[in-house]
Structure formats: C-alpha cells, structure tokens
Amino acid sequence: MTIPSDADRTTDLAVETHGLTKRFGTQTAVDGIDVAVPRGAVFGFLGPNGSGKTTTIRMLLGLIRPSGGQAMVLGEAMPRSLDSVLPRVGALVEGPAFSPFLTGEQNLLRFDAADRHSSGRTRRERVARALERVGLSHAAKKKAHAYSLGMKQRLGLATALLMPRDLLVLDEPTNGLDPQGTREVRALIRSLAADGTTVFVSSHLLAEVEQLCTHVGVMSGGRLVAQGTLDEFRRSGSRSRVQVRTPDVESAWAVLASFGVEAEGREAADDRDTATGVMPAGVSPEAIVAALVSAGVRVRGFAVLTESLEQRFVELTGEGFDVVA
Ligand SMILES: Nc1ncnc2c1ncn2[C@@H]1O[C@H](COP(=O)(O)OP(=O)(O)O)[C@@H](O)[C@H]1O
Ligand SMILES: [Mg+2]
C-alpha cells in the first residue's frame, strides 16, 4: 500500500487518526490508534465490550478531548474544527435523550431547533422526511415512552438524518434490538450508504459487521489490532485446514507432510482415524487427494475447512464474540 500525500489524505479519508489516545487516570482506554476510513465506506468498528470503541467515537465527535494524538474528521482536525465539522456529521452515541412525554415528532422538532444551522422555515418538512426515512411516520404523534426499543433507536437515527450528512457515526445502533429491529436498522444503514454517506458504525456483534460493512477495524484492549477491507480481512484469516478420515492414518500423514501440511491434530479415542493439518498456501486439495489415493491410503472422508471470520476475531481479540445479531 502506498502512503498518500497529506493533500490526498484529506480528500480520500472521512476519518483519520494518528496515535489517538485517551487515558482515564491510570487506565489507557484508547492506546495510540491509527484509524483510516475511506470516504464512501461503511466502516465496522468492531471489538468486545470495554475495548475502547465508544471512547474513540466520543473523541471523533469532540465530546471528549484526546490525551494524545490527532483525529481528523472530514479532512479537519478535531476538536479544533468542531463548529465546521459537526453540522456535516450525524451521530448516534449511546442513544440520545428523548423526552418521554413528547411525541416522536415533537422530539425531533426540538432537536432540529437546537441546531443553529437548521432553518425554522423548513423544520416541519425536514422532521417529516426524517421520520419517513426511518419508517416512523405512522408513530409521529405517539409519545416517545410508548415507543418500542427499536422505535426509539430509529428515532435516534432520525435525529442523525435531519440534515444531509457526509458522515454518520453510529455507536452500536442495534444494541438491545430484537432481530426484526436489527434487520430494519441494518437496511436503513445500507440505504444511507447507497446514497454515498460514509458510515462509521461500532459493534460488538460480528454478524452485523459482516453483513453491512465494506471495511473493518478491530479493537482489543484499547488497541486497533486489525484494519482493512472486509475482503482483505477475510483473506488474512483464511488459513485453510485439511482433514482426512482414514484407517491408514500413518501413511496419510506421510503424504500430507510431503505437501508441507503442518500437523495440527489427530483426534483421540472415538475419532482415532481423523488427521487435521494446516494447508500451506498454493497447495491444491485435488493434488492431495490424488497423492493419498495413489499411496494406497483408504480415504473415507476429505474436507477443506476454511477459517471463519469469527475464528479470526477470536484470535485477534482473545475473546469470544456474540455471533447472534
Ligand atoms: N468516563 C470514563 N471514566 C473512566 N473510565 C472510562 C470512562 N469511559 C470509558 N472508560 C473505560 O474505558 C474502557 C473503554 O470503554 P469504552 O470506550 O466504553 O469501550 P466499548 O465502547 O468498546 O465497550 C473501559 O474499560 C471503560 O471502563
Ligand atoms: Mg461502547
């Protein structure tokens, strides 16, 4: 990868940080991270709870000050350029505070009125459009306390959509939603991205990121441990294993070894006849099968197992992820 010049960077990247750090007392919540989010990307900011996602997002939005490093959002330094950057950014961080006694529509009108860049003349129209976009038009006149969690989350998204935005920053937007609500929010994010809005979305749910994102960054213990396109990420983790079931396990191993397959496991006891090994890149499974057969190995089962994205994440973060969206 070539390093772009400074001039290019500001045009190509919607979010860019250098050594961004946040300490709370003696604890380093975000530890010198270099994030790069290309314009137009849907960037999945992934990591287990407590890994520093929200803290990073709060720094990007100028809600808290970094202890060190720099953050550039839409080509401008934060928090220095807060006033010019924020109107172009829609954000949902740990759910906005709605008044439960106002209707969804009244809540949005109030939010919009608090934005000094918004014109009062077009306010009602803007609010109606945002409600429509998130599928809440039918509930516009309902009080917010009567909203389901999914509806509240969508109302939160609506606040981010009141104005046209270049960047949406969404902190775990499907947290606490049921599968139906999750699908709806996901579809909404997809349609926003299709309009060209860059989306920075955090999640501790792998399935969400996998279905939605073009790029991912993985946080673990305050560090960014991996970053790239989803495809790059898949490839970097695609260590294939080969598995042979045979009563002739010794001769099978000899053949596998001749292909450079690294022995990984020979299942014990009831699975005595299964040999599993890591396949080196560029070895074709067909060639292995042919060699096994010509060496007289009685092949009763043959499988190539590709490492899942989930296994890759677990490897990187040392933690299991919830895989259920
Ligand atoms: N205001 C704060 N004061 C002290 N510690 C905090 C504060 N905010 C976050 N932390 C700590 O920083 C770490 C990262 O938290 P957070 O950014 O919320 O992670 P995530 O969003 O990935 O779950 C956690 O250990 C959390 O307890
Ligand atoms: Mg968080």
Side-chain angles (χ1 to χ4, degrees), residues 32-313:
I33 66 174
D34 298 338
V35 176
V37 179
R39 281 186 199 249
V42 179
F43 183 85
F45 195 45
L46 198 64
N49 288 323
S51 57
K53 302 182 299 296
T54 298
T55 303
T56 302
I57 285 173
R58 294 171 74 81
M59 288 192 278
L60 293 178
L61 296 173
L63 297 170
I64 52 172
R65 206 165 261 287
S67 314
Q70 291 97 43
M72 306 276 286
V73 176
L74 298 172
E76 299 191 62
M78 292 293 276
R80 187 162 19 103
S81 305
L82 206 70
D83 288 348
S84 59
V85 172
L86 281 196
R88 300 161 64 200
V89 179
L92 177 68
V93 187
E94 285 174 3
F98 294 119
S99 163
F101 305 109
L102 296 178
T103 67
E105 184 184 41
Q106 289 165 335
N107 268 292
L108 284 193
L109 288 168
R110 207 169 69 157
F111 252 88
D112 194 76
D115 181 347
R116 62 184 169 80
H117 298 272
S118 77
S119 134
R121 202 168 41 80
T122 48
R123 180 155 301 136
R124 292 209 154 262
E125 194 187 314
R126 214 168 24 247
V127 165
R129 236 183 308 121
L131 284 168
E132 162 103 62
R133 189 87 208 244
V134 300
L136 281 180
S137 301
H138 67 286
K141 311 283 185 206
K142 231 186 207 183
K143 293 217 164 49
H145 70 77
Y147 278 23
S148 69
L149 193 54
M151 290 164 80
K152 281 182 188 145
Q153 206 73 335
R154 281 187 280 155
L155 190 59
L157 279 168
T159 64
L161 300 179
L162 283 169
M163 304 280 267
R165 313 288 189 177
D166 296 322
L167 172 67
L168 278 182
V169 179
L170 310 173
D171 193 15
E172 311 238 13
T174 64
N175 231 5
L177 299 190
D178 62 11
Q180 173 62 19
T182 299
R183 272 193 297 277
E184 286 169 9
V185 167
R186 224 187 259 143
L188 181 61
I189 293 175
R190 258 194 219 106
S191 82
L192 292 165
D195 295 347
T197 307
T198 307
V199 182
F200 185 108
V201 53
S202 82
S203 180
H204 66 282
L205 295 172
L206 174 63
E208 196 159 277
V209 162
E210 206 176 343
Q211 293 179 34
L212 205 58
C213 299
T214 57
H215 293 68
V216 289
V218 181
M219 292 290 286
S220 176
R223 290 172 191 270
L224 188 69
V225 291
Q227 177 172 234
T229 67
L230 192 57
D231 284 344
E232 276 167 2
F233 199 67
R234 281 221 173 84
R235 275 201 301 277
S236 74
S238 64
R239 275 200 308 161
S240 294
R241 289 176 175 75
V242 61
Q243 198 169 64
V244 183
R245 272 169 55 83
T246 173
D248 311 313
V249 78
E250 294 307 328
S251 9
W253 268 126
V255 172
L256 291 176
S258 73
F259 282 92
V261 172
E262 197 184 308
E264 195 170 65
R266 251 179 88 170
E267 314 288 291
D270 51 336
D271 256 326
R272 208 185 302 277
D273 58 351
T274 301
T276 309
V278 177
M279 239 178 19
V283 172
S284 88
E286 300 93 293
I288 298 181
V289 176
L292 285 167
V293 171
S294 72
V297 174
R298 289 167 291 171
V299 178
R300 294 197 172 145
F302 183 88
V304 176
L305 316 167
T306 306
E307 190 178 50
S308 72
L309 217 50
E310 192 204 348
Q311 285 165 323
R312 178 85 183 112
F313 284 126

